[in-house]
Each structure stands twice: as C-alpha cells, then as structure tokens.
Amino acid sequence: MDVSALQKIRYTYKPKLPACLSQNIDNISIEFGVPTESDADQQDLKNLFKHSYGKPLATFVSGKNDTIRRELKVGVILSGGQAPGGHNVIAGLFDGLKKGNPASKLYGFLGGPSGLINNKAIELTGEIIDNYRNTGGFDIIGSGRTKIETPEQFAASYETAEKLGLNAVVIIGGDDSNTNAALLAEYFTGKGSSTQVIGCPKTIDGDLKNEYIETSFGHDTACKTYSELIGNIERDANSAKKYWHFIKLMGRAASHIALECALQTQPNICFISEEVEAKEISLSRVVDQICQSIVKRADNGDNFGVVLIPEGLVEFIPEMKNLIEELNDLIAGNEEEFAKKSSFIDQLYWLETKLSIPSYEFLNTLPPEIARELLMARDPHGNVQVSRIETEKLLIGMVEKHLAKLKKEGRYKGKFSALGHFFGYEGRCAFPSNFDADYCYSLGFCAFVLIASGLTGYLSSVRNLVKPAAEWIAGGVPLTMMMNMEQRHGSKKPVIKKALVKLDDRPFLTFAAQRDIWAVKTSFLFPGSIQYFGPAEVCDQTTKTLMLEKS
Ligand code: FBP
C-alpha cells in the first residue's frame, strides 16, 4: 500500500502509557471506591438501571490480578462522528488483549452500532491494526449513528453477542453513544448474559467530561487543527486588511471548541453559546456586538477582523431556542404527518397553527434558507443538525444590514466585506496529536483491563492529563454516575449529561478578561500546525482549556 512519509513514520510511534498500565500486567489490580449516585434524578435512574446503578469508581493500582490472563473475545464499535485517535483506542485494546493472552480475539463491528445489531463484523488482526496505528479517521471499521433503542435492536445485539461468544463489547462514542452503552450493559445483565459493556469517551466537541473524565479524545487534535487554520486566516486578514472572516466551528451545543480556539488565536470576537443563553442575548444584540467591534476598528483604519461562532449558537439565542424546542417536540410527535409535507411552503403552512405565535413570527423573519435548515430532519438522537445551519451567513447578512443603517446615520465610515467559513470536517480525521495518540492508546488499554477484571457498565477513564503520561491515573467510571433525565423526542429519557462551558471556570474567565481588548486592537496569535517531533513543550502539550482548568 502506498502511504505518505508522515503516515509511515507515525506507524512506528510508540504511544506513552501511564505507569500503572505499562508495568507487568499481572500486577494491575483494581481499587474500588464507595457506591456512586447519578448526577441527578437518582430515583428514576435507580428504577431504570436495576442491575447497574450505583457501582463504585474503579482505579488501577499495583496488586495481583488473577483474571488478566483469561482468553477473551471482544467486539469493538466506533460510534458517531469521527474524532482523531479512534484507531489508537482500538490498537491499545488489541495490544492489551494480546498481552493478556495471545489467543484472545478482537472483532470490529462494521459501520457503527448497526454492525452489532446486524452481526457485521471482521476479526481485527495484528496486520490490520499495524496499518492504522497513530493515524486519524475511523476507516478501520467505519462508524455510524444508529441508536440501539427498540426492543428488537436490543434483542438483535444480544443475539450477536451470544453467537460470537463475546465476553465484552466496547463502544467508543460520545454522550449519546455511551448512554447506549449504559442501556446495553443493563439489558445484557438483565438477560443473564455474561457479555460486559465498556464505553470510551470520544468526541471532538469536548462535552463528555466531568471530574473523572477530564476530556474526550479527539478534542485536542481537532482544536489544534482549527486553531492552525484560524491563525492562518488571521495572518491573511492582517496582511490584506480587507476582509472580515466569520468562522463557524463545530461542537454541537457546547462551545468548548470555540473557547479553546479563541484562547489559542485571540480573534476579535468569539461568542460562547452558554453565555448567550445565561444572559438571554437576543439575535439583534449578537449582531450589535459584532457591529460595535467593526465600527471601532474601522475608526482606527482596520477594516478587517475575525469572528468565531460556535455551531450551537443558534440553539441558545432565546427566540431561536424556543423555536427549536417547539419544532423538536412537534416534529417528534407528528413524525409521519410532517414527513408528508414535501415542500417548504407546505411545512410552513402546517406549522402556522401549531407553533406559538412568537415562534411562528420569528421563523418568518429568518432568511428562507436558514428557516429551511431548521426544519431539516433531526439526527437519530433527536438533535437538530446544527452543523447544517449556516449561522455564519445569517450573521453576515444581518451585520451588513445593520452597518448600512449606521452608515446612513453617519455612525460608521468603514468598508465591510465579509467571508464565511465553516471548520468541522477539516479536523475530525487529522493525524492525532501526540497527546491524543497517547491518551487514546491508554483508553483502549484501560478498557482491556476493565474487561479482564470482569467489570460492566463502566467508561474507560484516564486522568491527571496535564502531567506527563507516566503520571496519568487510569480506571473506570460507572456510566450511570454521569446520567440524568432529559426531554428527548418528546419524552423524558435517561441520558449522559452534556458538559457545557462553565462561565465561572478559569478558561472562560481568562477569555472574558481579554476579549474587550481583542475586539478593538489586533491581538492575533498564530499557533501553527501540530508538531509530532521535537521538544515536549511544542509536541506534547494538551489544550489551554485543560491546563487552565487544572491550574
Ligand atoms: P459526535 O457527537 O458524534 O462526536 O459528533 C461530533 C460532530 O462532529 C459535531 O461537532 C457535529 O455537529 C456533528 O458531529 C456532525 O455530524 P455528521 O458527522 O453526521 O455530519
């Protein structure tokens, strides 16, 4: 196979493991904490997870482990959107299994959770794994967004596990996929099955985190890739001095990616959706804020700049939030009827009598292409596909209008020419940074130890991540501990709580303390591309967010 020079050399990179996992594996034992409680809605979750609620935290320590040499059969699933490092989770899991017992087998389910439902799997051999070590992408087995939710899908997953004689299934996914892992673990135990279920925290969005999951994998590499691109655009803007760049960044509801990129690149403006929600900032105020910066910079002769927009922003602007919530419930409750409305006009007509008056009126004020995007099909978890809503274009259009008004009133004398960008897919399959390569390999190895030790319903956890890898702490967090009840598809469902940006935490406060200066004075930073070889302070550092959170 023809491969690039970087790919070839990355195959040989040896990911760093925490000391507790790099020792003789017969000496990796588990220390259990006290029984845990869910994040909220304890009684509801106790009733729903009769067999798996309240398990204790697990931490790996030195000590004898009698079960680690067992011969095991494990199936692995990549679930949801791609995130750099997924291949290394599989490599870490594979190497752990083979170290435990060379006869152990790893199966890869093809195309995401549907591979488990439909029993579509391949055996992952050393030869296959070696072609994917330290590379980006999920193409080793593919990914998918199917949700295991119907009784038939649970039964089919059980049948596959029985047929293959699986000791465990590892689900590598975000909050929704790990909610699925928790439900599957409960279902298998309830059926008397011995198949264990272990999750791994994946998502570039960075919204699957808590005290024990410091970050989801892929977030580091994706943010570094977007920051490189933003830095390049800033330098272009500062050289040509003629464009305002409006850059939408992936991340769903949470603004972790936008915040990290802002800390890395110091743009003129960056919105944080969580702040917009907390302060109930309306769409016109968002536009006003951008225009204030444009006017002040134009007064200094700077008719250029960079605005960062988290993709979830639209979901948090109060009038938009109400509209989306109403639409979600209406569409989920009338799925078949809504699907029959084939044209946009028919959809609007149908909604006229069903939406509240303010929401219907607001929908009509939006440019038709944005309204159309809001009505598009939800993803299998009931979420609006925010990556498909062109917020950057919506804002450019509104800013243009407002500036024209200010010009008429003599309050703006500059020139405004804007370009829109959307960065998302550019970063999801990048070669994992050294941090993600090491972290992912450790998560995979950690999943193996959890399985070999007989645990189910746990999320693989590696923490103390701002320290060198040798000092990382590894173990497992009970999945039910991270759950609460939320409105989904029109009814209350158990879900892993999304971690949004905390407005009283250091990363946001650090950004907030500087943004007024950035808004007027060009303060751009140019982080450059990810470095894989060289000094540790350039190659192995993780996100500014994590460093600030832990400082
Ligand atoms: P996950 O939540 O599955 O990790 O996906 C993250 C993400 O990249 C979001 O940032 C984005 O909104 C979404 O996936 C895009 O989905 P798709 O890949 O289906 O276009």
Side-chain angles (χ1 to χ4, degrees), residues 79-83 145 173-177 202-205 207 226 249-252 257 311 379 384-388 422 424-425 428 498:
S79 181
Q82 285 70 250
R145 291 199 184 275
D175 51 340
D176 286 329
S177 311
K202 171 235 72 167
T203 178
I204 60 160
D205 302 346
D207 58 2
Y226 304 140
L249 291 162
M250 258 191 185
R252 287 194 196 278
I257 292 182
E311 72 173 2
D379 76 6
V384 182
Q385 302 191 58
V386 278
S387 61
R388 313 228 345 229
F422 170 38
Y425 301 99
R428 299 200 311 179
K498 260 192 204 311

Side-chain angles (χ1 to χ4, degrees), residues 116-117 119 154-165 187-188:
L116 175 67
I117 297 169
N119 193 1
F154 277 105
S157 305
Y158 171 78
E159 244 173 68
T160 302
E162 290 293 304
K163 263 190 203 149
L164 293 175
Y187 180 83
F188 282 168

